[in-house]
Amino acid sequence: MSGEHDHELGFWRKYVFSIDHKVIGIQYTITALLFLLFGFTLMMVMRFQLAYPGTEIPFLAKIFGEGNMPGGLMLPEFYNQLGAMHGTIMVFLGVVPLAVGGFGNYVMPLQIGAPDMAFPRLNMASYWVYFLGGVIMLGSFFLPSGAAQSGWTSYPPLSNINPGQTAWLFGMVFLITSSLLGSVNFIVTIIQLRAEGLTFFRLPFFVWAQLVTAFLLLLAFPPLEAAGVLQLMDRLAGTSFFMPSGLVVSNQVLDIAGEGNPLLWQHLFWFLAHPEVYVLILPAMGIVAEILANNTRKPLWGYRSLVYATIFLGFMSFIVWAHHMFMTGMGTTMSAFFQTTTMIISVPSVIILTAMVISLWGASIRYTVPMLFAIAFLPMFAIGGLTGLPLGLTASDIHLHDTYYVIGHFHFVVAPGTLMALFGGIYYWFPKVTGRLMNNMLGKLHFWGTLIFMNVVFMPMFLQGMHSVSRRLYDQTVYEHGKDVQDLTIASSWGAWCLGIAQIPFIINFFASIFAGKKVGSNPWDATTLEWAAPSPPPHGNFETEPVVYRGPYEYSPPEDPTGFSPQNKAPA
Amino acid sequence: MSSAEIKYIDKPHPLTGVTNAKLGIWLFLASEVMLFGALFSAYVLLRVGATSWPRGSDELNVPLATLNTIVLITSSVTMVMSWASLKLDNFGKFRRYMGMTIALSLAFLVIKTFEYTPKFSHYEVFLNDKTSVRGHLGEKHEDHILFTPDPEKDGEHAGVHPEEMRIERSDIRRLTNFGPRHSNFFALYFTLTGLHGLHIIGGIVVNTWLMFPGSAMWKTQRERFTGRVECAGLYWHFVDLVWIFLFPLLYLL
Amino acid sequence: MLDSLYGYWLPPDISTHGYQVDRLINVIHWFMGAIFVGWGIFFTYCLIRFRARPGHRASHQLPKAKASKWSEVCVAAFEAVLLIGFSMPVWAQIKNEFPTEEQKPLHLRIVAEQFAWNFHYPGADGEFGRTAPELMAADNLIGLDYDDPAAADDLVTNNDLRIPVDRPIICDLTSKDVIHSFWIPVMRIKQDVIPGMKIPIWFQATQTGDYQVACAQLCGNNHYNMKGDLTVYSAAEFEAWYADMAGGDDEEEEEEDE
């Protein structure tokens, strides 16, 4: 039945300009994975300069051009471009599109028993707008001005006077628009299109995570868009929103009106970028919850408190932004407020993590590859979260602010944290998408390599930061304290390169399994949520018959069911 | 294929009471509130931090803006009428009212253009002795410029056009027209009204589409089409509302 | 000399207030370590005890874990202690309790630019000369107005901060161009320098020696190299240097600073 319908669509409508949420989800996933690889490559190049400053690698001059790396020696402006673009690409083009655009698009409608997203054309538009934003960001490397080089945070006045920023701003406008379209679509779909019987408290936790994430994107991104418009005006129309009076660059007074405020940008930027942290982490928690419940073979502990904690987290994330700005000359009242909210927001994170760990109690844990990634997420995220504490308190932040400690902290949240969960999600839902399993052996190799080397990369950063090495330094050995811990930098760099090698099994596994993976039925993991009730891969329209839901999402090992699990749509006896 | 159909496209969801599109447009408007909210906050922050801030009515054209306010409010009324006509099954009337809405929004843009244009040819020269002169720029030379100051507004020489004067470049601290680069006041004025203008253009595109090619849906899915016009209307009222905030903020306060 | 001071943990602390910062950092890390280890033991125990094996079945019954509530309450309570007991008082001291004039503080102006730190000493009269952006030039980096009588004995150094030990220092931080961040790691003082704002900070050294000033905020291509030297003199050494420098005429100063 659906086959006939598909035949009517040509190649372009079916695979390129498709309005099917599954195809769009796959497009997002592939594009985001490529961007992740690209962003990671930029970092591996940077790590060479960091580990062996001033060493020439002649063949890199051929790749990046003599203008950027004369004779293979990286110039500081190119280093700054790589740094700014690594951050931008990883956050806005890699992790968020993978977690929300990829997993959200593919899995969420299936989990709620919907035939598609509420607005399929809008869904296609949001992918292509994202794609264009990515093209602009990548293309900016080839412009005469080069890519943005003022950090992913783009603090003015530096970003107002630095080359390359205009393309970055245009790229961001596209990415923001894409996120806004996507988030409207997600919220409407979750609220309107749930299958019969699927009440809010029967939703899989992943869907909850996507719902809160979508609200964060919807409400937090517009202020950054506003900030982007103001910065574009500063750069193109000669305004001075972010430029105070009397600026002197290279001993020349700038011809501007002045009276602007550089901190205005920081407020608008962090009003987005703090919720953005939760946009990065919530879908990952959702994925981990799914995999944990499935592989512990028991219901999640404290499902309701997980949901309440997530909503509370989403709400609180709007009022902690200025803890990124403690060093901007903040007085005691404002810092007291933001320190307090920051400490409060750590509580729901603790609740979520605790609930997930207690879910292990009384389980029968299957150590499948997705489960390994999900388990590793827990301690890695714990490290990331705990090291946020000294940064959230002003007094300890004095020493640690803008050092490698910060880099270590948020990378532990996003890389060994979120990325581990996303890898787990790929292994977990791969059989749904392709009808085939990924190879177990290669998966385990990928897991151990990734886990070990991620720690080798990011652990030394805490010590470097403690030891007062600033972030974003082209060459830390100009400082005495930088020289002291240069061996840590070298270790971290080797870790990064080995981490790159550790991804090779994954790449092989991913592509080979599409064609040669072991064929499995529609529910290889004996899972309960609705996506496993659809065929693998699901046809256009997803379900053969409209699913009806009778119970909560994680009815594993119920005493009354001899099969060991009761899918949500299984009619009660 | 019954399961492949997306529900609640034309009929409201029994629990939420709205169609997908209506919920979607409300969410979109929520994000728009955040967008303009952020810009209004920027306005407040910059104004509070400024050493001096002009009165909007001294700098901007209040009569034209008042006229534009009337035009926009009228267009909101015709927008409601066009939707109501569909509800009453009168497609002809829908087209007439929609046409009026589009015409009024175009009129808004034309008036806006009349308001914008003179600002770009009107200059202010800030001199090194901390005074400034407003007027129109004549010939520009390497070492000096020719400048015709504006007539004084009050005092004994009110209304008299002064002679063109010569100003040495070395005396000039800054020369700028009354475009966005003049000061934060004008920067905000152009950014806020410009962004609002973009929203007007967006509305015109949507409304024109609904009036002509999009209205083919009226023949097949009446309820869904009426819903679309209602959503376009909600958006249009929002754009109107933004202007209701912008007008006093920029022109009067 | 520097090498011997630095270990792998925090750098040495030569300030009067820094021990409080260090104490908070250490307490938090002990706390984090305790949570992580305790939690890790439970986690590992679960992973081993509840592994899937023949004859073992997961229990559908959820454990009644009162301990989790207690642990959450404990974490929250401890955070409250860190916040109210440690962080807020230190911050209030740094922000609000500036040295009084009776303590004879040394006043300085610090003018950051791409990519250097300029230090402006008031000289013997204790008054800073007027500065203006229009006067800034390659040979007058802070735009000092030499026609101003107060500027006559002013001393300006470039990337060279020299201060006396055991005497409070009050600095006004300003930037000519972009945001920088003034950081003396051993002094446990860090403050963003924001163009358009004048931000006061204070500190007091407890040890003499040679140290470094760093820029902590990305400020452009040579951000990495925006470092200054910090020399903490004894009171007598400082007076000798200060009198010598501020007394000489301007030309000489520039040369000696280079």
Side-chain angles (χ1 to χ4, degrees):
Chain A
M1 43 169 216
S2 55
E4 285 166 48
H5 187 73
D6 285 352
H7 276 297
E8 294 160 17
L9 300 170
F11 170 80
W12 286 95
R13 288 291 306 278
K14 197 171 167 192
Y15 297 109
V16 183
F17 296 105
S18 172
I19 56 167
D20 185 328
H21 75 99
K22 298 183 293 296
V23 179
I24 297 169
I26 294 168
Q27 287 174 325
Y28 260 117
T29 306
I30 304 279
T31 319
L33 283 171
L34 288 174
F35 273 119
L36 281 176
L37 186 64
F38 180 71
F40 180 55
T41 312
L42 297 185
M43 192 273 279
M44 287 197 284
V45 177
M46 286 167 76
R47 294 253 33 134
F48 190 83
Q49 162 63 25
L50 287 175
Y52 305 107
T55 313
E56 296 175 0
I57 332 170
F59 83 92
L60 283 182
K62 293 204 183 72
I63 301 175
F64 295 108
E66 287 286 331
N68 293 323
M69 297 186 74
L73 176 72
M74 184 181 289
L75 292 178
E77 48 266 48
F78 188 55
Y79 175 84
N80 285 343
Q81 285 180 31
L82 293 181
M85 294 310 285
H86 167 73
T88 307
I89 288 173
M90 288 314 222
V91 172
F92 296 111
L93 289 162
V95 175
V96 174
L98 182 58
V100 179
F103 284 105
N105 246 315
Y106 197 98
V107 177
M108 183 273 285
L110 284 166
Q111 282 196 331
I112 63 169
D116 205 317
M117 298 287 269
F119 310 111
R121 279 193 188 77
L122 200 65
N123 203 14
M124 177 183 83
S126 66
Y127 170 75
W128 284 105
V129 173
Y130 153 69
F131 186 82
L132 278 177
V135 168
I136 293 173
M137 287 289 186
L138 280 188
S140 66
F141 275 105
F142 302 100
L143 294 175
S145 53
Q149 47 177 278
S150 313
W152 80 286
T153 50
S154 295
Y155 281 4
L158 180 66
S159 54
N160 276 10
I161 59 176
N162 253 356
Q165 189 67 19
T166 307
W168 187 88
L169 289 166
F170 275 113
M172 282 311 292
V173 169
F174 276 85
L175 296 178
I176 293 168
T177 309
S178 157
S179 277
L180 291 178
L181 298 180
S183 55
V184 168
N185 213 344
F186 272 58
I187 298 172
V188 174
T189 308
I190 295 172
I191 291 179
Q192 301 274 91
L193 299 185
R194 281 167 291 119
E196 193 188 331
L198 188 56
T199 58
F200 273 103
F201 279 109
R202 284 178 176 174
L203 283 178
F205 182 64
F206 178 77
V207 177
W208 269 110
Q210 290 288 343
L211 182 63
V212 176
T213 302
F215 269 107
L216 296 184
L217 286 174
L218 183 79
L219 300 177
F221 251 133
L224 182 65
E225 189 151 36
V229 168
L230 297 183
Q231 199 170 79
L232 272 177
M233 290 294 284
D234 273 8
R235 289 184 66 89
L236 301 179
T239 59
S240 47
F241 288 117
F242 304 126
M243 314 267 266
S245 311
L247 280 192
V248 180
V249 175
S250 309
N251 296 311
Q252 283 292 313
V253 181
L254 294 186
D255 174 22
I256 50 165
E259 300 236 311
N261 188 342
L263 291 184
L264 173 60
W265 168 270
Q266 295 189 22
H267 281 294
L268 293 174
F269 180 86
W270 288 114
F271 188 82
L272 154 86
H274 198 83
E276 179 79 7
V277 174
Y278 294 92
V279 168
L280 295 168
I281 198 72
L282 284 177
M285 287 173 168
I287 293 170
V288 169
E290 297 302 302
I291 300 175
L292 273 184
N294 176 254
N295 288 289
T296 53
R297 311 308 296 161
K298 63 187 284 294
L300 274 185
W301 187 84
Y303 168 82
R304 271 182 189 246
S305 51
L306 274 177
V307 170
Y308 291 132
T310 308
I311 295 170
F312 183 62
L313 201 66
F315 173 75
M316 286 300 291
S317 73
F318 283 102
I319 50 170
V320 296
W321 80 89
H323 67 208
H324 297 267
M325 300 165 61
F326 284 148
M327 294 303 126
T328 55
M330 198 181 279
T332 42
T333 317
M334 210 159 116
S335 79
F337 175 78
F338 282 105
Q339 285 183 83
T340 310
T341 55
T342 304
M343 289 303 116
I344 292 173
I345 204 173
S346 70
V347 175
S349 310
V350 173
I351 293 177
I352 291 173
L353 208 54
T354 311
M356 286 180 173
V357 177
I358 295 181
S359 295
L360 297 173
W361 190 269
S364 171
I365 303 170
R366 299 188 308 205
Y367 287 100
T368 58
V369 176
M371 184 60 171
L372 290 175
F373 279 98
I375 288 174
F377 167 87
L378 299 174
M380 294 297 110
F381 174 68
I383 295 176
L386 285 171
T387 51
L389 276 179
L391 300 170
L393 294 166
T394 45
S396 38
D397 192 42
I398 293 174
H399 185 65
L400 299 174
H401 188 82
D402 269 333
T403 63
Y404 265 92
Y405 196 93
V406 180
I407 311 274
H409 155 66
F410 71 72
H411 276 89
F412 255 95
V413 175
V414 178
T418 299
L419 273 182
M420 286 302 240
L422 294 179
F423 278 132
I426 291 175
Y427 285 97
Y428 183 62
W429 280 301
F430 191 87
K432 179 50 52 190
V433 179
T434 61
R436 292 168 190 272
L437 283 173
M438 284 175 87
N439 182 286
N440 211 25
M441 200 54 225
L442 285 173
K444 284 190 176 161
L445 194 64
H446 175 220
F447 167 74
W448 287 109
T450 306
L451 180 66
I452 291 166
F453 290 118
M454 279 212 180
N455 280 284
V456 176
V457 178
F458 299 116
M459 274 294 176
M461 293 185 178
F462 293 123
L463 290 172
Q464 281 178 283
M466 265 309 169
H467 204 68
S468 16
V469 181
S470 304
R471 63 193 288 197
R472 292 167 168 168
L473 291 182
Y474 163 73
D475 175 3
Q476 70 180 50
T477 58
V478 303
Y479 289 102
E480 291 299 330
H481 50 252
K483 270 183 210 153
D484 283 353
V485 288
Q486 181 63 10
D487 46 348
L488 290 177
T489 310
I490 294 172
S492 176
S493 288
W494 279 97
W497 300 323
C498 292
L499 182 61
I501 295 169
Q503 303 313 304
I504 294 173
F506 171 70
I507 297 170
I508 295 172
N509 198 353
F510 188 85
F511 288 104
S513 300
I514 294 176
F515 306 103
K518 187 181 153 211
K519 277 197 178 176
V520 284
S522 63
N523 192 0
W525 307 115
D526 292 342
T528 51
T529 43
L530 281 183
E531 77 268 33
W532 304 101
S536 300
H540 189 71
N542 293 345
F543 296 92
E544 279 157 355
T545 51
E546 221 172 306
V548 179
V549 171
Y550 300 99
R551 57 179 67 75
Y554 306 118
E555 285 302 306
Y556 290 105
S557 309
E560 71 278 4
D561 196 330
T563 57
F565 67 107
S566 307
Q568 286 191 279
N569 63 330
K570 185 177 177 183
Chain B
M1 278 303 291
S2 65
S3 66
E5 273 162 28
I6 297 161
K7 291 180 182 169
Y8 313 118
I9 282 178
D10 42 13
K11 297 238 181 339
H13 188 287
L15 289 177
T16 59
V18 284
T19 60
N20 296 344
K22 206 160 166 184
L23 181 58
I25 199 78
W26 278 115
L27 290 167
F28 172 70
L29 293 183
S31 89
E32 292 280 284
V33 168
M34 295 302 288
L35 175 69
F36 282 99
L39 289 168
F40 286 138
S41 321
Y43 173 96
V44 172
L45 197 82
L46 289 173
R47 183 165 180 170
V48 165
T51 45
S52 68
W53 197 263
R55 272 175 66 95
S57 50
D58 294 342
E59 306 286 344
L60 303 175
N61 195 327
V62 180
L64 278 187
T66 314
L67 177 63
N68 249 349
T69 310
I70 296 165
V71 168
L72 212 53
I73 290 176
T74 319
S75 80
S76 254
V77 175
T78 56
M79 189 77 204
V80 174
M81 298 300 284
S82 73
W83 170 69
S85 312
L86 284 185
K87 278 281 191 198
L88 299 170
D89 259 355
N90 190 336
F91 185 74
K93 250 185 158 179
F94 153 75
R95 274 220 163 142
R96 223 170 307 140
Y97 279 119
M98 196 52 126
M100 283 162 74
T101 310
I102 295 168
L104 285 165
S105 11
L106 288 171
F108 178 90
L109 290 180
V110 171
I111 295 170
K112 199 89 231 162
T113 317
F114 278 112
E115 213 189 305
Y116 274 180
T117 325
K119 305 253 180 301
F120 287 93
S121 55
H122 189 204
Y123 281 79
E124 182 157 16
V125 190
F126 296 90
L127 300 168
N128 278 334
D129 60 5
K130 308 265 156 151
T131 59
S132 73
V133 192
R134 295 169 169 217
H136 288 85
L137 191 59
E139 281 174 56
K140 289 198 270 187
H141 297 276
E142 198 145 301
D143 60 338
H144 71 274
I145 56 167
L146 296 177
F147 199 76
T148 316
D150 291 339
E152 282 177 31
K153 277 192 182 143
D154 38 42
E156 52 180 308
H157 300 296
V160 182
H161 277 273
E163 295 287 304
E164 190 172 58
M165 59 193 262
R166 179 189 158 109
I167 305 177
E168 296 302 321
R169 288 255 185 206
S170 55
D171 290 336
I172 299 176
R173 191 158 50 92
R174 190 158 179 264
L175 168 68
T176 171
N177 61 13
F178 281 81
R181 62 195 305 277
H182 178 273
S183 57
N184 276 341
F185 174 77
F186 280 96
L188 279 165
Y189 163 74
F190 278 103
T191 309
L192 286 169
T193 55
L195 203 64
H196 177 258
L198 282 180
H199 280 78
I200 298 271
I201 293 172
I204 293 175
V205 171
V206 170
N207 287 345
T208 314
W209 186 81
L210 284 175
M211 187 171 162
F212 297 108
S215 65
M217 189 186 265
W218 176 251
K219 297 196 185 74
T220 51
Q221 294 164 279
R222 291 202 165 189
E223 264 180 289
R224 193 175 173 192
F225 181 68
T226 313
R228 283 190 171 176
V229 173
E230 190 184 1
C231 290
L234 285 173
Y235 169 79
W236 194 250
H237 300 324
F238 173 79
V239 174
D240 195 1
L241 190 71
V242 170
W243 179 256
I244 300 293
F245 276 94
L246 284 182
F247 178 55
L249 195 68
L250 294 171
Y251 292 82
L252 304 180
L253 288 175
Chain C
M1 137 158 217
L2 281 165
D3 302 35
S4 56
L5 286 172
Y6 286 73
Y8 268 106
W9 196 244
L10 291 162
D13 162 37
I14 62 155
S15 68
T16 49
H17 71 275
Y19 73 96
Q20 293 163 296
V21 173
D22 291 6
R23 187 174 61 193
L24 177 60
I25 290 179
N26 290 328
V27 168
I28 295 176
H29 280 84
W30 280 114
F31 167 65
M32 278 155 54
I35 292 184
F36 191 74
V37 169
W39 182 90
I41 290 169
F42 176 80
F43 179 66
T44 319
Y45 175 76
C46 286
L47 291 184
I48 297 168
R49 180 172 158 196
F50 298 111
R51 69 190 184 280
R53 54 193 185 271
H56 175 72
R57 195 164 189 248
S59 112
H60 184 257
Q61 191 83 34
L62 292 172
K64 292 235 182 311
K66 280 234 173 72
S68 84
K69 286 229 174 57
W70 281 110
S71 71
E72 279 153 20
V73 169
C74 283
V75 168
F78 201 82
E79 283 177 0
V81 171
L82 290 177
L83 180 66
I84 297 162
F86 288 81
S87 185
M88 284 181 180
V90 183
W91 192 252
Q93 185 196 353
I94 291 169
K95 287 286 157 182
N96 298 341
E97 292 168 27
F98 273 69
T100 57
E101 285 307 312
E102 281 147 34
Q103 294 171 266
K104 300 244 180 302
L106 173 67
H107 286 272
L108 285 179
R109 287 181 66 242
I110 300 179
V111 183
E113 68 176 311
Q114 287 177 322
F115 301 92
W117 299 104
N118 297 299
F119 302 100
H120 184 184
Y121 295 77
D125 63 355
E127 270 184 55
F128 293 105
R130 190 182 80 92
T131 57
E134 304 86 59
L135 298 173
M136 289 176 185
D139 58 353
N140 186 4
L141 290 171
I142 63 163
L144 189 60
D145 179 2
Y146 286 102
D147 296 335
D148 183 8
D153 61 348
D154 283 14
L155 167 63
V156 182
T157 67
N158 185 256
N159 284 333
D160 184 12
L161 173 61
R162 303 188 191 204
I163 55 167
V165 73
D166 294 331
R167 179 173 161 195
I169 316 290
I170 297 181
C171 314
D172 279 335
L173 294 170
T174 52
S175 168
K176 283 162 71 169
D177 37 42
V178 302
I179 299 178
H180 303 273
S181 191
F182 180 76
W183 187 19
I184 308 177
V186 291
M187 207 69 80
R188 301 294 187 271
I189 193 85
K190 184 184 284 157
Q191 174 60 53
D192 284 2
V193 189
I194 296 168
M197 291 169 78
K198 189 171 84 174
I199 303 170
I201 56 167
W202 70 270
F203 52 87
Q204 183 172 343
T206 57
Q207 273 178 45
T208 57
D210 295 324
Y211 308 95
Q212 282 178 321
V213 177
C215 179
Q217 183 71 265
L218 179 67
C219 60
N221 294 340
N222 284 331
H223 159 61
Y224 75 101
N225 211 7
M226 185 168 163
K227 66 164 192 234
D229 293 320
L230 166 65
T231 312
V232 184
Y233 281 137
S234 69
E237 280 172 324
F238 179 77
E239 287 310 327
W241 171 79
Y242 198 35
D244 189 31
M245 294 301 290
D249 73 357
D250 300 323
E251 301 302 315
E252 252 178 50
E253 275 163 35
E254 288 295 328
E255 273 163 39
E256 277 183 56
D257 292 337
E258 291 306 310

